[in-house]
Amino acid sequence: HDMNINTQTNRLNFDPLINNEIVDSMHMPMMNEEFVQSGNVDKDFIANMIPHHQGAIDSAKLILEYGSNEEVKEIEDFNELLANGDFSNSNLSEKAYAEFVAKEKENMAEMMNKMIAVTRTRDKKTADYTFVLAMKYHHEGALEASKQILAYTKNPQIRKIAKNIIKDQAKEIKQFDKLIEQGL
């Protein structure tokens, strides 16, 4: 899914409250939802990706005139998969599962810390810059979670979802880097 950011129509001057709201809206769904540890890596990946995508939508709504319909559709698909999916073929040992959970939590903490640091930047940036940089870190978190699940899962449906997230989010990260380079 392509995120087309129109910085001409939504150019906002530096405002720490707006910048904080942008970043908060991006990570609050993840903070408000309990980290899922079901004992099954495939189910955990899908369940924990829902609040991640919701944060992207909530933040985008503050910066754009409309949210990303593709992200909304993915959340619906993920909820359907959680309700009806087969999560039985990637069973791991307790040790391997504990390793997976520890890496997931470390990845999430690193992403959150980077996003929060965006609001503490000394160079007073615009809301556009805050959104793009925080979203870049947000996408990097999804990309890392997707790479990680690929190291554990045997489920072909989960592997396909993770590969699509990696492809799409890497493409958007490049777009974000280009916008930042251009002096957003």
Side-chain angles (χ1 to χ4, degrees), residues 115-129:
M115 288 168 50
I116 291 166
V118 171
T119 63
R120 298 189 180 128
T121 184
R122 290 176 188 225
D123 48 351
K124 308 295 188 201
K125 296 293 186 176
T126 64
D128 293 337
Y129 175 87

Side-chain angles (χ1 to χ4, degrees), residues 5-23:
I5 300 172
N6 184 342
T7 57
Q8 297 299 321
T9 58
N10 286 309
R11 196 85 177 146
L12 300 171
N13 292 327
F14 172 76
D15 181 332
L17 293 177
I18 291 173
N19 288 359
N20 287 343
E21 187 178 355
I22 288 166
V23 175

Side-chain angles (χ1 to χ4, degrees), residues 138-154:
H138 186 264
H139 277 27
E140 287 174 352
L143 203 136
E144 287 305 311
S146 298
K147 286 179 182 176
Q148 183 175 324
I149 192 65
L150 288 173
Y152 289 89
T153 188
K154 297 170 186 80

Side-chain angles (χ1 to χ4, degrees), residues 163-174:
K163 286 178 181 178
N164 283 338
I165 288 172
I166 290 169
K167 182 181 70 135
D168 293 344
Q169 306 258 317
K171 181 180 176 185
E172 289 182 12
I173 289 168
K174 285 182 181 175

Side-chain angles (χ1 to χ4, degrees), residues 79-95:
N79 279 318
E80 176 72 22
L81 184 59
L82 281 175
N84 303 311
D86 173 18
F87 296 104
S88 61
N89 65 354
S90 290
N91 294 329
L92 301 174
S93 68
E94 281 185 37
K95 182 181 177 193

Side-chain angles (χ1 to χ4, degrees), residues 45 107 115 120 136:
F45 173 72
N107 173 47
M115 288 168 50
R120 298 189 180 128
K136 174 186 172 176

Side-chain angles (χ1 to χ4, degrees), residues 13-128:
N13 292 327
F14 172 76
D15 181 332
L17 293 177
I18 291 173
N19 288 359
N20 287 343
E21 187 178 355
I22 288 166
V23 175
D24 286 349
S25 67
M26 204 177 291
H27 72 244
M28 286 316 290
M30 293 177 282
M31 298 297 287
N32 290 335
E33 289 292 323
E34 195 166 324
F35 185 79
V36 175
Q37 289 179 237
S38 68
N40 184 301
V41 294
D42 298 326
K43 189 173 185 179
D44 292 1
F45 173 72
I46 294 298
N48 290 320
M49 197 53 70
I50 291 171
H52 187 97
H53 276 36
Q54 188 63 55
I57 292 165
D58 294 348
S59 182
K61 284 180 178 175
L62 291 174
I63 259 323
L64 302 173
E65 292 178 7
Y66 52 89
S68 169
N69 291 332
E70 189 60 33
E71 296 257 8
V72 172
K73 184 184 179 323
E74 283 181 5
I75 290 173
E76 290 169 0
D77 291 346
F78 290 169
N79 279 318
E80 176 72 22
L81 184 59
L82 281 175
N84 303 311
D86 173 18
F87 296 104
S88 61
N89 65 354
S90 290
N91 294 329
L92 301 174
S93 68
E94 281 185 37
K95 182 181 177 193
Y97 180 71
E99 192 179 275
F100 169 82
V101 169
K103 286 181 183 175
E104 278 290 282
K105 287 182 175 180
E106 181 182 323
N107 173 47
M108 183 177 268
E110 183 180 331
M111 176 192 62
M112 296 289 203
N113 288 336
K114 284 181 176 179
M115 288 168 50
I116 291 166
V118 171
T119 63
R120 298 189 180 128
T121 184
R122 290 176 188 225
D123 48 351
K124 308 295 188 201
K125 296 293 186 176
T126 64
D128 293 337

